[in-house]
Amino acid sequence: MTQASAGAPRALQPLQGGSLVLGTLALSLATFMNVLDTTIANVSLPAIAGDLGVAPSQGTWVITSFAVANAIAVPLTGWLTQRFGQVRLFVTSVLLFVLASLLCGLAPNLEMLIAFRIVQGAVAGPMIPLSQALLLSSYPPTKSGIALALWSMTTMVAPVVGPILGGWLSDNLSWPWIFYINIPVGLLAAWATWRIYRPRETATRIVPIDRLGLVLLVLWVGALQIMLDKGKELDWFNSWEIIALGVTALIAFVVFLVWELTEEHPVVDLSLFRRRNFVTGTMTLSLAYGLFFGGIVIIPMWLQTQMGYTATLAGLVTAPVGILALLLSPIIGKSLAKVDPRAIASLSFVILAGVSFLRADFTTGADTWTLVLPQLILGAGMATLFLPLTSILLAGLPPQSIPAASGLSNFCRITAGAFGTSIATTAWENRTTLHHTQLVEHLTPYDPLATQARDSLASAGLSPDQTLGNLDRLVNNQASMIAANEYFWVSGFLFLSLLAIIWLAKPRTATPGPAKA
């Protein structure tokens, strides 16, 4: 067994002055860059597909490949940290991420781009959990709420900025720049982190490689992520490919659980689930994030496909979500030491439910302010969601367990987000089709409203075919709106149901530290 010269984090004093500021900035930049890359490519897919001469459906593998590799790598953070140390692993991940970003921008074809995106997603896995662990070690335990607030601000704002920045870069420069912008940011973050944290390296030890556990992890997570990403496109379980992926994921997951629970040196530390606060915090955060992310996906899609918004305008309408999130995060961080985090999380669920109910009243004639208001309020819901739940799930953990706990909880959150996206988009499209069929039944010569609409279009000089086309578009707009309203009504009540789960956590002012769980 070998030890890093710096010793364990518990023996280290918090950073102060310029070192604290520079360290916080470096870790925040790396986190921002990582989270940004999960969404920045979404709006650039048409440009990527067109430039590389492939169909848009093939271009979606640019996103899927990153998501699959990242989901596999995140829960490995705990094992990798024991082997290489927090600082060395984090800096190496950042530098490899920069290299992979450069290669993605230089990719001459889709196959190479997907290969480099797999590498990028894999090396990005440890970055978010380790940035959280290093940031917590930089502040005294009494200021851990502030540390979590600063960390959460970057993870909340980056998904909002991603589509806006990606659209602007693709429109004004070219799509490779969505990857090139990572280079200066990553190099700066890696240099500053190494300079500040190198003397604070954590203890390392030679840990046997759980080869079978790693293979099973890759198999079930990979199959599950591909199934979720491609399910809607392949009509879900009407496709033998999706059925095969689902069966593979299920069998591999069951075997993985049995193996990891009996393995002496598991690749993923599932013993964390014996802690009530970790289970409660991770469960509520994952469920809330899945619901939250489903809405985040539906709103821009609805604005662009039904309301005539461009990608840039849709991004600007959704951008105000970051305003209250940024303003309130430091306040929430300070209050964590005094206020029961379960109460703050409960407030978040009420706010998120209220936002869902506001969206459930949207109409096709909604003006900009009507669309922006829920986004503004949503920022308050985000600020009161991530901070207290992260605090609860990390409560009582010793410093050396935080990377594994953060990696595992982030894996659950990411997977829940994938489920939320697939369920939300599939339910929205299926309900749209149903309501379209029901509304079309009223387009008969005996319906006065249908007759009036048809005559109005005909009097404007439209041909019979053009009139029918316009009527179909109007019906589809209404069907899509009704389906979205239904989704948000259900989301609102599901957010309220989380109030019953969060109070299962132990009653305490949850502050990560050495206290017992």
Side-chain angles (χ1 to χ4, degrees):
M1 181 180 296
T2 61
Q3 292 276 334
S5 59
R10 289 172 293 180
L12 298 175
Q13 296 298 316
L15 294 175
Q16 295 180 349
S19 296
L20 179 60
V21 174
L22 183 60
T24 300
L25 179 62
L27 295 173
S28 299
L29 281 175
T31 303
F32 184 85
M33 174 183 68
N34 185 316
V35 179
L36 185 76
D37 239 59
T38 62
T39 59
I40 195 171
N42 294 17
V43 296
S44 303
L45 281 183
I48 294 174
D51 191 43
L52 298 181
V54 298
S57 59
Q58 292 177 287
T60 58
W61 281 103
V62 174
I63 297 173
T64 302
S65 56
F66 181 92
V68 171
N70 190 250
I72 292 170
V74 168
L76 296 175
T77 303
W79 180 85
L80 291 171
T81 298
Q82 293 182 69
R83 183 64 183 84
F84 300 105
Q86 291 184 19
V87 181
R88 192 178 295 110
L89 177 59
F90 180 81
V91 172
T92 302
S93 295
V94 173
L95 291 175
L96 290 176
F97 188 87
V98 168
L99 177 60
S101 298
L102 174 62
L103 294 175
C104 285
L106 297 174
N109 52 55
L110 181 65
E111 291 75 17
M112 294 299 292
L113 177 57
I114 291 174
F116 294 140
R117 281 286 278 177
I118 291 174
V119 174
Q120 189 185 40
V123 300
M127 288 171 60
I128 290 180
L130 287 180
S131 67
Q132 191 177 63
L134 289 171
L135 199 59
L136 283 170
S137 74
S138 305
Y139 288 75
T142 55
K143 298 288 184 66
S144 62
I146 297 297
L148 287 174
L150 294 170
W151 181 86
S152 295
M153 286 166 65
T154 59
T155 60
M156 289 187 288
V157 174
V160 179
V161 175
I164 301 174
L165 183 59
W168 187 88
L169 289 172
S170 297
D171 292 341
N172 294 278
L173 295 174
S174 58
W175 66 263
W177 281 96
I178 67 176
F179 301 112
Y180 292 153
I181 61 170
N182 293 331
I183 297 174
V185 176
L187 291 176
L188 176 62
W191 169 79
T193 302
W194 186 249
R195 178 182 174 185
I196 299 298
Y197 290 95
R198 181 174 54 177
R200 304 167 63 86
E201 183 60 276
T202 58
T204 61
R205 61 193 181 100
I206 303 298
V207 183
I209 300 175
D210 178 15
R211 293 182 176 86
L212 180 57
L214 181 59
V215 170
L216 290 170
L217 177 70
V218 172
L219 187 60
W220 82 261
V221 174
L224 178 64
Q225 285 287 325
I226 295 173
M227 182 188 79
L228 293 174
D229 285 344
K230 292 295 181 181
K232 184 163 64 70
E233 178 186 327
L234 299 177
D235 196 19
W236 289 105
F237 293 104
N238 289 320
S239 164
W240 282 107
E241 182 177 342
I242 295 299
I243 293 174
L245 287 169
V247 172
T248 300
L250 178 61
I251 295 175
F253 174 68
V254 172
V255 178
F256 172 80
L257 282 181
V258 175
W259 177 262
E260 292 298 283
L261 290 172
T262 56
E263 170 65 18
E264 184 179 357
H265 300 285
V267 72
V268 178
D269 184 10
L270 298 181
S271 66
L272 289 164
F273 285 108
R274 295 172 184 164
R275 295 174 172 265
R276 190 208 300 184
N277 276 19
F278 180 80
V279 172
T280 305
T282 300
M283 181 186 301
T284 49
L285 179 59
S286 299
L287 292 173
Y289 187 77
L291 289 170
F292 162 78
F293 209 75
I296 288 292
V297 171
I298 284 182
I299 289 296
M301 288 177 61
W302 171 66
L303 290 175
Q304 293 179 67
T305 60
Q306 305 299 328
M307 299 289 283
Y309 282 63
T310 63
T312 302
L313 286 176
L316 291 174
V317 168
T318 57
V321 70
I323 297 175
L324 287 180
L326 285 173
L327 294 176
L328 292 178
S329 289
I331 299 174
I332 300 298
K334 289 182 179 180
S335 68
L336 280 177
K338 303 174 183 177
V339 182
D340 190 333
R342 299 175 302 170
I344 300 176
S346 297
L347 175 61
S348 173
F349 299 147
V350 173
I351 293 173
L352 293 172
V355 169
S356 295
F357 293 142
L358 282 176
R359 288 172 169 174
D361 282 336
F362 279 174
T363 68
T364 54
D367 58 20
T368 303
W369 172 246
T370 302
L371 299 173
V372 167
L373 178 60
Q375 294 299 121
L376 280 170
I377 301 173
L378 183 61
M382 292 172 63
T384 50
L385 174 70
F386 291 98
L387 286 174
L389 292 179
T390 301
S391 180
I392 288 172
L393 68 91
L394 294 180
L397 290 173
Q400 64 269 24
S401 297
I402 288 179
S406 180
L408 193 52
S409 64
N410 274 284
F411 166 74
C412 294
R413 179 181 59 83
I414 291 169
T415 303
F419 269 103
T421 300
S422 297
I423 293 172
T425 54
T426 301
W428 182 44
E429 291 189 5
N430 289 345
R431 297 297 293 180
T432 296
T433 301
L434 173 65
H435 290 302
H436 185 278
T437 302
Q438 293 173 338
L439 291 172
V440 165
E441 294 175 355
H442 295 280
L443 294 181
T444 69
Y446 307 104
D447 189 296
L449 292 177
T451 302
Q452 181 181 353
R454 184 192 60 195
D455 293 343
S456 177
L457 292 170
S459 64
L462 298 181
S463 66
D465 287 343
Q466 290 173 325
T467 297
L468 290 176
N470 275 273
L471 286 174
D472 183 70
R473 179 179 58 81
L474 291 173
V475 167
N476 196 62
N477 285 348
Q478 293 298 325
S480 177
M481 186 75 268
I482 295 171
N485 291 346
E486 290 176 339
Y487 172 81
F488 288 117
W489 271 115
V490 173
S491 292
F493 288 111
L494 289 177
F495 275 123
L496 292 177
S497 70
L498 296 179
L499 292 169
I501 301 178
I502 189 58
W503 289 94
L504 296 176
K506 289 187 177 182
R508 64 150 48 150
T509 303
T511 303
K516 295 180 180 179

